[in-house]
Amino acid sequence: MRRFAFMLFAGVPSVLAAQGFAVSEHNTCTMGRAGAAAASPCADGSAIYFSPAGLAGLAGKHLSFGSAFIAASGSFTDEFTLQQTKLDNPLIPVPAGYATYAVSPKLTVGIGAYAPYGLETKWPVAGFAGRFLGYNTKIHSIYIQPTAGYQVNSWLKVGIGWAYITSKLELHQRVDLSTQQAIPGVSFAQLGIQTGTDFADASLNATGNGFAVNFGAIIKLNDRLSIGGHWLTRKTIKYDGDAAFKQIATNLTLPPNNPLGLPAGTPVDALVLPQFVSGGALSNGPVHTTITLPPQGSIGFAYKLQDNWTLMADYQTIIWGWFATVKIDFDNPATPDIPLVPHNKDTHAVRLGTEYRHSDKLTLRAGYLYHTSASPSDFVTPLLPENDRNEFTGGASYRISPRIVGEVAYQYIKQNDRRGEVLPGAGNTGVYTFHAHLFGAGVALTF
Amino acid sequence: MTRTTMRIGAAALGILLAVAACHQDQLFQPYPNGPLDPMFTRYVSMGNSITAGFQSNGINDSTQLQSYAVLLGKQMQTPFFVPLMARPGCPPPYTNVYLQTRVPPAVPNNCALRAQQAVPPPYINNVAVPGAEVLDGITNFGPGTNANGLTTFFLGGFTQTQMMMKVNPTFVTVWLGNNDVLGAATSLTNAGDSTRITDTLTFASEYRAVLDSIGRTGAQGGVLIGVANVTLIPYFSKGSKFFNVKAGTDSIAGPDSASRRFRANFLVDPSCAAPHGDSVLVPFPAGAARLAAARADTVTIVGVNCNDSVNVQPVELVKLQRTVAAYNRLIAAEAAARGYAYFDPNTLFTALPAGSIPTFPNVITFPPRAAFPAAATTPFGAFFSLDGVHPTAASHKLVANALIGVINAQYGSHLPAIP
């Protein structure tokens, strides 16, 4: 026993497979129309993410900034115990900002900051069986993207941006003594240690960076109909950081005649203590891993029903299937590295949006979107218990002055209930529910 | 054009919404209708070897699932997690009590480990541990406790009450106390040894401590099961039976006339004659097992002496029976005082048709002269397993159905009987 072949961070692939890990609410105006912007992005610089070609022809100077605020609710109901645990997520802000400058009537340049891949899930530690897969997970990936849009001719616009990515990964989970090896080939569970015996708290903090390219084109077919699209390339980020382990007291003592052959009264905590000291499998130390932020793209059209009323539709895909393996590499030789092989699926979304200019001051927006999930049925975990989603949006712009426009938007996410897992290796033993209210607010300035 | 486009758009949106709404995963629950009654949402059974599912001097994931507690959980339609032991068991059950063979294969220390279950039990519902006396319900340490390997395998360092409280049960059954007298009755060196009986005052104090622990949970109901009259089990045979068979006025079961009698090298002391022999209980190792040995080795002379301390003597028998009665009066009173149901298991077994519990085991023949499978398969009849002490699956079903009747009567529930 004396050496653990221990299992840690086994739930990571689920996080990375999560469709919800891809965030699309990077602009209040676009949020109001369900993110449909490939052929006709909002005229506030947000084309830098949604469709870089849309920068072309954007006259003058524009500055826009704002944030979406995600109020998520969810639960896991264990189908055996019927115990329901509620998601404990805080209100999560997702800020974004863009600035553009028209160099010439044909060429516009700009820079934007947005976070297309991000996640935070937080569950209560006490009593939640899924804490051994992860009780608090955060991924922040910020893209800072200088971009240029060029009007090639009367019907073609192209654009390209080069994004610097800075990413931060934070994972927290408990470690279950019952899943550890007491002696080679024999787990503590086989000796009677109960499922869900916390004996360590593990955390991983790491950062990384990289570069990606975002490019696209918009074709104007006639005065009413345009088509467009963009593609944001993938980037494999190498993360470097630290893993930290804190012992959690089990307060268990071995009874007489125990199968370990140890004296009656032997504290289990003393038994596992050597694992936490320097050189032990659960001693603190550097850790490295790599995560592929997958490529994504969309194509769509914009059709002017009337001069003041436009209908937009986009198809979007994120190639999660390219995300093949993850290896969590501990510098500590006593800590086994963890190879992970997720089985993600590419995701697909349909976004329908409409925009109605009620007056020179007021513009109204609405939209609906549906997207599939990336997680296969055997990787639905507390880290991001995702499923296919239906989402409904609405928004409005109000011109406060000739140079200032205020934006608001609302989005409701209803995720289909889905069976998922909370115990490593136990399969799906309960049902996750999820829904969220998103509120967007922003300002667009024109100079 | 505009109107047509709007109609197409609206239709497309409607179809999309309909498809999305239908695209739910199959949501499965083990008991789609939940427990039969909210009172049975989390059922915990406390006890000893009988409740744990010990049979034929062994236990494994087969015998465990035959326990009355498991059967009761199924009827309640409530999840019921059992600390399953891998095959062949710990120890593996007998396959033949006379040959002392056990379920293969042989395993180190005669003990396989806990089974690796597809769904690791989030908690344990059947917290009963073989060998447990009432004191073991509340502590694993100190004088008089009986923690063994299975205590750790089942409870992982917790006590029965601690594990019970972790589950926060809504319903509890307690069948503790048998071992507080059984240990005395089945002592290999001095069967009936009164010094090994837990005195009734201590028993009462320990039993109340267990019940107090249950009272601190949200349990809405429960059944307290009385102590079995250990002198009624087929592990014991009356001394007078030996005397009468030897005298030729009685016989035992066997495939032919020779095997219904004792061989010449198996002697029975006159002390076993009635009336003294009627009040002497000869335990299986000192009686039928010796008879089997005499059949295997016709040269060596063995026998039964009813004055031998290895047998339960008349005074000891009285003490055992009085103790059981005293225990059961206390348990019944505690049940009444605390609003629990009470069940006396002795009524169940004494009501069985005559001959259901054999007065003498079916004994193996050497060399085999005719087929007599009962000696191997049911040496103690259909209701007791190959050790003569622990009930078979048939008995567990009887107990479960009796408990269902008691529970329905006490709480107005509608648990269905097991067919």
Side-chain angles (χ1 to χ4, degrees):
Chain A
M1 114 152 226
R2 322 330 189 178
R3 188 173 189 283
F4 300 93
F6 83 116
M7 185 173 71
L8 194 64
F9 302 120
V12 165
S14 296
V15 177
L16 301 170
Q19 199 282 339
F21 179 22
V23 179
S24 297
E25 291 69 38
H26 307 303
N27 174 254
T28 308
C29 166
T30 313
M31 179 178 161
R33 42 155 111 154
S40 178
C42 293
D44 56 8
S46 61
I48 287 173
Y49 164 67
F50 290 99
S51 187
L55 282 192
L58 193 61
K61 302 172 192 169
H62 293 267
L63 175 66
S64 66
F65 53 88
S67 180
F69 298 89
I70 303 173
S73 301
S75 68
F76 176 79
T77 302
D78 191 297
E79 62 195 12
F80 290 107
T81 65
L82 302 181
Q83 175 185 317
Q84 185 184 69
T85 305
K86 292 186 175 176
L87 196 63
D88 199 17
N89 265 17
L91 186 69
I92 302 170
V94 184
Y98 309 92
T100 66
Y101 171 70
V103 178
S104 71
K106 286 193 169 186
L107 177 65
T108 299
V109 297
I111 186 168
Y114 57 92
Y117 297 104
L119 168 71
E120 179 165 355
T121 52
K122 187 176 181 184
W123 297 89
V125 177
F128 178 54
R131 64 191 181 277
F132 302 108
L133 285 171
Y135 64 83
N136 192 2
T137 306
K138 297 177 188 174
I139 299 175
H140 298 152
S141 296
I142 299 171
Y143 284 49
I144 300 168
Q145 181 185 316
T147 306
Y150 185 72
Q151 179 95 43
V152 179
N153 54 39
S154 62
W155 54 270
L156 178 62
K157 298 176 182 177
V158 296
I160 187 166
W162 189 64
Y164 168 76
I165 307 164
T166 175
S167 185
K168 183 180 177 187
L169 176 65
E170 186 178 334
L171 306 173
H172 297 270
Q173 68 176 197
R174 289 294 175 91
V175 188
D176 184 354
L177 182 59
S178 74
T179 63
Q180 312 304 311
Q181 301 276 306
I183 52 178
V186 177
S187 69
F188 276 97
Q190 290 175 277
L191 300 177
I193 296 297
Q194 299 301 311
T195 304
T197 302
D198 301 54
F199 88 111
D201 188 272
S203 61
L204 185 156
N205 284 277
T207 58
N209 55 62
F211 296 95
V213 177
N214 189 4
F215 60 93
I218 296 174
I219 299 171
K220 183 178 177 183
L221 297 177
N222 57 44
D223 286 344
R224 289 193 178 275
L225 181 62
S226 297
I227 59 173
H230 85 110
W231 189 256
L232 176 61
T233 61
R234 69 172 168 155
K235 181 60 189 177
T236 298
I237 305 286
K238 183 177 185 304
Y239 293 84
D240 299 305
D242 295 294
F245 305 93
K246 187 175 74 173
Q247 185 173 13
I248 303 289
T250 66
N251 297 318
L252 293 174
T253 48
L254 294 175
N257 305 309
N258 59 77
L260 292 169
L262 294 171
T266 301
V268 170
D269 296 325
L271 210 58
V272 300
L273 182 62
Q275 304 302 319
F276 293 90
V277 301
S278 180
L282 297 177
S283 58
N284 299 343
V287 64
H288 316 280
T289 190
T290 56
I291 292 176
T292 297
L293 301 175
Q296 60 170 278
S298 58
I299 57 171
F301 71 85
Y303 184 79
K304 282 192 175 181
L305 296 170
Q306 297 173 2
D307 288 344
N308 62 345
W309 188 10
T310 305
L311 181 66
M312 291 149 283
D314 283 5
Y315 162 77
Q316 182 191 30
T317 185
I318 304 175
I319 312 299
W320 286 107
W322 285 10
F323 179 80
T325 58
V326 174
K327 180 183 175 188
I328 296 183
D329 179 9
F330 297 92
D331 277 5
N332 181 359
T335 308
D337 294 340
I338 303 171
L340 303 167
V341 184
H343 308 281
N344 304 320
K345 304 176 293 183
D346 298 345
T347 62
H348 309 276
V350 174
R351 300 172 179 273
L352 304 174
T354 188
E355 186 170 287
Y356 179 73
R357 197 176 70 252
H358 179 267
S359 66
D360 288 344
K361 288 198 168 186
L362 179 64
T363 300
L364 302 173
R365 302 180 183 90
Y368 162 79
L369 73 102
Y370 172 79
H371 60 66
T372 61
S373 64
S375 295
S377 57
D378 58 346
F379 277 115
V380 182
T381 76
L383 300 164
L384 187 60
E386 57 141 6
N387 198 7
D388 301 352
R389 292 175 175 178
N390 290 282
E391 304 183 24
F392 304 89
T393 68
S397 297
Y398 188 78
R399 184 168 293 282
I400 299 166
S401 74
R403 294 188 170 184
I404 303 174
V405 175
E407 308 272 5
V408 292
Y410 167 78
Q411 183 168 341
Y412 176 69
I413 299 175
K414 178 69 184 90
Q415 177 174 292
N416 292 349
D417 296 347
R418 190 171 196 191
R419 296 190 69 229
E421 64 181 300
V422 285
L423 297 172
N428 297 333
T429 56
V431 176
Y432 284 104
T433 66
F434 180 86
H435 71 272
H437 299 278
L438 281 67
F439 304 93
V443 175
L445 307 175
T446 304
F447 303 100
Chain B
M1 169 68 183
T2 299
R3 189 170 295 169
T4 304
T5 305
M6 289 174 64
R7 282 176 180 163
I8 292 171
L13 184 60
I15 291 168
L16 252 178
L17 285 170
V19 169
C22 292
H23 188 66
Q24 293 273 352
D25 278 3
Q26 288 292 326
L27 303 179
F28 164 78
Q29 283 193 318
Y31 295 102
N33 300 321
L36 205 62
D37 186 296
M39 184 170 60
F40 305 133
T41 301
R42 287 179 301 279
Y43 162 47
V44 170
S45 55
M46 302 178 70
N48 45 51
S49 53
I50 297 176
T51 306
F54 200 88
Q55 289 185 36
S56 301
N57 198 26
I59 189 166
N60 60 27
D61 59 1
S62 172
T63 64
Q64 287 174 287
L65 295 178
Q66 294 171 9
S67 163
Y68 74 89
V70 175
L71 303 180
L72 201 52
K74 281 182 184 168
Q75 297 309 98
M76 292 174 173
Q77 297 183 14
T78 187
F80 192 79
F81 294 99
V82 178
L84 296 175
M85 297 301 297
R87 305 281 177 93
C90 183
Y94 284 144
T95 52
N96 188 308
V97 65
Y98 294 106
L99 303 178
Q100 297 281 293
T101 53
R102 293 179 180 271
V103 173
V107 285
N109 303 316
N110 214 22
C111 182
L113 306 174
R114 272 276 293 273
Q116 292 180 295
Q117 295 172 243
V119 177
Y123 47 71
I124 298 298
N125 293 86
N126 192 352
V127 303
V129 177
E133 298 183 12
V134 176
L135 175 62
D136 299 296
I138 48 180
T139 181
N140 289 332
F141 299 99
T145 56
N146 302 277
N148 53 58
L150 292 173
T151 308
T152 304
F153 278 125
F154 288 3
L155 305 176
F158 292 101
T159 64
Q160 288 198 38
T161 49
Q162 286 171 335
M163 188 61 83
M164 175 272 298
M165 295 174 84
K166 274 172 69 78
V167 181
N168 190 23
T170 56
F171 197 85
V172 180
T173 58
V174 181
W175 195 354
L176 281 166
N178 296 316
N179 288 329
D180 291 74
V181 287
L182 183 68
T186 59
S187 168
L188 291 175
T189 54
N190 181 10
D193 181 0
S194 299
T195 62
R196 300 185 62 170
I197 295 175
T198 305
D199 70 80
T200 49
L201 285 178
T202 303
F203 181 90
S205 168
E206 294 166 355
Y207 201 87
R208 288 183 182 124
V210 171
L211 298 185
D212 289 345
S213 298
I214 298 171
R216 287 193 287 274
T217 70
Q220 301 163 31
V223 183
L224 306 186
I225 303 172
V227 173
N229 187 347
V230 295
T231 63
L232 295 179
I233 58 179
Y235 176 84
F236 294 109
S237 305
K238 284 185 179 177
S240 57
K241 175 79 176 181
F242 284 89
F243 185 85
N244 295 338
V245 173
K246 187 66 181 178
T249 58
D250 199 352
S251 62
I252 60 174
D256 51 45
S257 59
S259 60
R260 293 186 196 112
R261 299 189 302 270
F262 295 161
R263 282 181 177 274
N265 66 326
F266 185 79
L267 307 179
V268 179
D269 189 79
S271 62
C272 293
H276 179 72
D278 285 339
S279 300
V280 172
L281 297 183
V282 180
F284 175 77
R290 284 185 185 176
L291 174 58
R295 288 176 170 179
D297 175 4
T298 57
V299 176
T300 304
I301 296 173
V302 294
V304 172
N305 183 334
C306 285
N307 288 328
D308 193 334
S309 63
V310 298
N311 303 313
V312 178
Q313 297 301 307
V315 174
E316 295 170 334
L317 177 60
V318 170
K319 172 78 172 174
L320 288 170
Q321 291 172 326
R322 284 181 177 170
T323 300
V324 169
Y327 284 177
N328 285 346
R329 280 195 300 274
L330 170 93
I331 295 171
E334 287 295 327
R338 297 172 190 253
Y340 298 133
Y342 170 71
F343 172 62
D344 181 354
N346 299 304
T347 59
L348 193 65
F349 289 96
T350 53
L352 288 173
S356 297
I357 301 175
T359 56
F360 201 91
N362 299 312
V363 183
I364 194 169
T365 57
F366 292 101
R369 285 188 298 273
F372 188 48
T377 58
T378 54
F380 301 100
F383 293 95
F384 284 86
S385 65
L386 301 190
D387 56 22
V389 174
H390 296 97
T392 59
S395 287
H396 278 288
K397 185 175 157 186
L398 276 180
V399 171
N401 273 331
L403 287 173
I404 284 169
V406 167
I407 292 167
N408 287 344
Q410 176 85 9
Y411 297 107
S413 54
H414 299 89
L415 290 174
I418 303 164

